[in-house]
Amino acid sequence: MNGFRNFMTGRYGTDQLTIALLVAGMILTFIGNAFDLYFLIMLTNAIFLACAYRTMSKNILARQKENYKFLQYWNPIKSWGVNKYNILKSSRNYKYFKCPNCKQELRVPRGKGKIAVSCKKCNMKFIQNS
Ligand SMILES: [Zn+2]
């Protein structure tokens, strides 16, 4: 184990981009094997080689820049997914709807009948069935 630690000293290691590439590679491998797509399997080999290269790389600054670029695209997708998951989780207790004026997403507690709602964003007041 000490030899491996010495080998990895000064090398980049894994980050979010490497993990995303590994997951994408595994999915593409599964699809390639299921449908006998030879070029897809070759592509996944290239992806796995890129993962190994990034992990072993000593050019840490370049790898961090690549990861930063990836996160610029990934973080909005991730927060959208987390937001949708939270809405699904709490939809038993809250009713979600959009403001008729500015389309801001709002929520009210369920089972309170017709209630007066004022939008936090545009301050429009309207009656909403909960
Ligand atoms: Zn509004």
Side-chain angles (χ1 to χ4, degrees):
M1 206 62 207
N2 216 0
F4 182 70
R5 184 177 295 155
N6 288 340
F7 175 73
M8 286 306 289
T9 301
R11 295 179 193 270
Y12 186 60
T14 56
D15 60 7
Q16 293 93 335
L17 176 57
T18 304
I19 292 167
L21 285 172
L22 279 173
V23 170
M26 283 190 269
I27 292 168
L28 290 177
T29 302
F30 179 76
I31 294 170
N33 282 330
F35 298 102
D36 266 340
L37 301 170
Y38 183 71
F39 71 96
L40 206 57
I41 296 167
M42 291 305 292
L43 178 72
T44 58
N45 287 338
I47 290 173
F48 291 137
L49 274 176
C51 287
Y53 172 76
R54 295 193 79 251
T55 305
M56 304 296 165
S57 174
K58 288 187 173 179
N59 190 351
I60 291 170
L61 193 66
R63 301 294 85 79
Q64 284 175 336
K65 276 183 184 171
E66 291 165 2
N67 192 47
Y68 179 74
K69 283 263 182 210
F70 166 70
L71 290 178
Q72 279 182 320
Y73 293 100
W74 174 244
N75 282 339
I77 297 168
K78 185 182 170 190
S79 61
W80 179 86
V82 167
N83 187 28
K84 291 295 171 200
Y85 174 74
N86 285 336
I87 286 174
L88 196 69
K89 217 169 61 175
S90 64
S91 63
R92 190 187 294 179
N93 300 325
Y94 293 97
K95 182 174 185 178
Y96 288 85
F97 56 94
K98 284 190 179 0
C99 170
N101 187 34
C102 69
K103 308 296 179 209
Q104 168 73 35
E105 192 142 27
L106 302 169
R107 73 173 195 181
V108 293
R110 279 192 186 276
K112 306 284 182 197
K114 287 192 181 201
I115 54 176
V117 178
S118 59
C119 175
K120 283 186 276 183
K121 194 173 171 188
C122 67
N123 286 324
M124 186 187 166
K125 291 174 174 49
F126 56 97
I127 302 294
Q128 175 69 36
N129 201 352
S130 67

